[in-house]
Amino acid sequence: MSQQKKDKASFPTYKGKPLVRCGDTIYYGSMQDKYVIKLDIKSKKKVGDLDVADKVVVQLMYTDPEIRTRKQIVKTSEKEGLYLALDIADAWLTRALAE
């Protein structure tokens, strides 16, 4: 493996933007941009022997650490399933970053 590849942390991506997971929270987008999406998995259901996200809260947030936590949230919505949540997340983030 090349040294350059070792230095750069690689995350899974969705439509070219990184996905970073910590427990039941997924961040979509780059923290170096003005906005990022936070996906909170609120409930799961069993499909076979796998846990699949059922209810997901989607939040468009500012990444500026100077802004208080409550003021960082720009939009919020709750979706059924991770695919629908990622679909709206991509639309919101693309529009917000285009401003």
Side-chain angles (χ1 to χ4, degrees):
M1 186 183 279
S2 70
Q3 184 63 30
Q4 184 182 25
K5 196 161 191 128
K6 285 182 185 177
D7 291 341
K8 186 178 178 185
S10 62
F11 295 105
T13 60
Y14 178 72
K15 295 191 178 181
K17 295 177 184 79
L19 287 165
V20 180
R21 180 178 174 215
C22 180
D24 285 342
T25 303
I26 301 169
Y27 289 94
Y28 175 58
S30 174
M31 293 304 274
Q32 289 139 2
D33 292 335
K34 185 176 179 180
Y35 298 98
V36 71
I37 296 284
K38 179 180 176 185
L39 302 156
D40 273 323
I41 299 169
K42 294 298 181 186
S43 68
K44 300 175 187 174
K45 62 182 176 183
K46 279 278 194 201
V47 176
D49 57 349
L50 294 174
D51 285 330
V52 177
D54 186 31
K55 292 196 187 299
V56 181
V57 174
V58 182
Q59 295 177 327
L60 175 66
M61 303 175 64
Y62 286 113
T63 56
D64 186 357
E66 301 297 318
I67 301 173
R68 288 185 298 149
T69 306
R70 290 210 179 248
K71 298 282 185 183
Q72 285 181 330
I73 299 169
V74 178
K75 284 184 182 182
T76 189
S77 178
E78 185 172 307
K79 297 293 175 193
E80 297 288 327
L82 189 58
Y83 179 77
L84 290 175
L86 278 171
D87 197 34
I88 193 74
D90 183 60
W92 283 1
L93 191 57
T94 301
R95 286 184 199 145
L97 294 175
E99 293 176 352

